[in-house]
Amino acid sequence: MSTAGKVIKCKAAVMWEANKPFSIEEIEVAPPKAHEVRIKIVATGICRSDDHVITGGLVMPFPIILGHEAAGIVESVGQGVTSIKPGDKVIPLFVPQCGECNSCLNTKSNLCSKNDIGSSAGVMPDGTTRFTCKGKAIHHFIGTSTFTEYTVVHESAVAKIDSAAPLEKVCLIGCGFSTGYGAAVQTAKVEPGSTCAIFGLGGVGLSVVMGCKAAGASRIIAVDINSDKFAKAKELGATDCVNPKDFKKPVHEVLIEMTGHGVDYSFEVIGCTETMTAALACCQYNYGVSVIVGVPPAAQKITFDPMLLFTGRTWKGSVFGGWKSKDSVPKLVADYMKKKFVLEPLITHTLPFTKINEGFDLLRTGKSIRSVLVL
Amino acid sequence: MSTAGKVIKCKAAVMWEANKPFSIEEIEVAPPKAHEVRIKIVATGICRSDDHVITGGLVMPFPIILGHEAAGIVESVGQGVTSIKPGDKVIPLFVPQCGECNSCLNTKSNLCSKNDIGSSAGVMPDGTTRFTCKGKAIHHFIGTSTFTEYTVVHESAVAKIDSAAPLEKVCLIGCGFSTGYGAAVQTAKVKPGSTCAIFGLGGVGLSVVMGCKAAGASRIIAIDINKDKFAKAKELGATDCISPHDFKKPIQEVLTEMTGHGVDYSFEAIGHVDTLTAALASCNMNTGVCVMVGVPPSGSVISIDPMLLLSGRTWKGTLLGGWKMRDCIATLVSSYLEKKFNSDVLISHTLPIAKVNEGFELLRAGKSIRCVLLF
């Protein structure tokens, strides 16, 4: 029986306020308006950025449906939607691609102005929400909201993918994998034979390791204060693993000594201002490139000696791996299908959706890399 | 009568200690050792970086012979020097190019490890000085020291130029012109049709304006709190000139409004922590490139919101325009002779070396752009 055009009642994990557990609720999901798409979510990953909203590190309005890394099947489309149809396998895009704005028109950029990352409005582009629960309007999260059986996104924020793709794996292409892999191959454009250092070996950091390896780096130094993370980093291509706690001297000095003069490329994949500065300082002082990938807590500033930059270093940031989302996500899925890269090592836990709080506990205690929730 | 192999007694402007005027003294200049070159300086420009040493903003040992932007004629060469001979017209290079170190071997970099900018040792590569005055050893300045009739530099720190070059004009290619012009065309690689903002309209800032214009920028916004600087900026290609003092709101907001979404390239050619941050924030949040050109004072720190970088901006430093100087300086001088650029416009004053203190006063009072001292 078709649900098209009707409100759908379904299960969702609602975050009613900060620093609380998720509440599994029955919610109502309105049908998609013009240029919108309603998606049945099949699998969704747990990402540290979702947790930052809960703890206040990333400021968003409550109550909210979190989750932004997912894959699903289109249930229905609103008026005027031509690029997608019911039954299509899709990945929602927290960085959209409208194709018309300044960023979309520039070949080098990918931060479409229709994103809701900076504005944190928590609504659809028309200013309203499609979710209600117990009579209250529930906010969207950066144009996605995937901790729910059904979600509604704008057409510019969803990409059609290969119908053979296993959704419980490729959901990671919606955020973690693409963000890290792209930081290396797309933003930094790591060159063959070069040396790389990666600070932070979570799902995104390990994806950076994969990207550096795919790009042909000769030395990939993985840095984390949790030595449990090293085995997987080595499996994915790290040549050296360094725990800053094992050294008296600052870690950037350790890295400069290890390489003689600093690395060609460094990546900060944690979101901590001290490691951002260490990552900058550990790259070669004149031609080194340092990329910030991790989301820093709101209102915290980085303080550093400007001479670090003056000598010639390049410091850049990267959102979603620098990829233009709607163009790139289908290609990344196709590459996965051709086995150009693997996702399985990143998925340490697969849980039913109702165990979402357990999934977040695993993240917070450093026991998981990516937990995928299956709906 | 040949002076080769002998000590030369000559005139020099000695800086005996910080925050004092220059003292015109008779000094002794030892002959060049192996792989060294003794040069008769013909013309030398006054650069803000020389002044930073006097005021302590750039820490160097005293007593010292300053000056690093000059042109002259080779008087004699030490053993083993093959690339240069007596009578050659040359420009000394405060960033050398040994050809062997990590930076020299990397195609993208230019900060040869033999530089004395960071180490501030104030001596020749063999650890000794060639200058004495009143029985005291006098320090060298970043491998050059050009406020003197004769100087000695290492072979890696001097380049031969076209014998037809007018030395009192091309001396600026030894620092100010190349630093600014290169920041635009070599470091930032400004693209045709793009928008640029330049903070600071001294000799280096104006050279950035020239570089942006040569690169085909469609909009060149020149920023300075001293409106006397605007006329020359417009003459050299600035399309808009603004003073932050004319606005209540922060200058980066003004620039973002003027351009709709921030400039493609911004340059800070002053060396102030506040304008360094404003320049970063003025460039487009996802595709913008900000280049730090001005030398920040010793011991300064900058604090920035990491979101400025995370959204995708690129921030980089540059020294001597990013050029490998021994390779490039002869070409730059030839380009000057072919009138591909007009660096003469930067020379606002020409004075005899005996008036060096007057030259520095003009700089400090904001009355000069480049003052060239003649011997």
Side-chain angles (χ1 to χ4, degrees), chain A residues 70-83:
Chain A
I73 299 170
V74 176
E75 172 268 344
S76 63
V77 303
Q79 228 180 0
V81 171
T82 47
S83 60

Side-chain angles (χ1 to χ4, degrees), chain A residues 117-132:
Chain A
I117 303 168
S119 33
S120 319
V123 289
M124 293 298 284
D126 76 347
T128 62
T129 166
R130 304 287 160 272
F131 302 126
T132 49

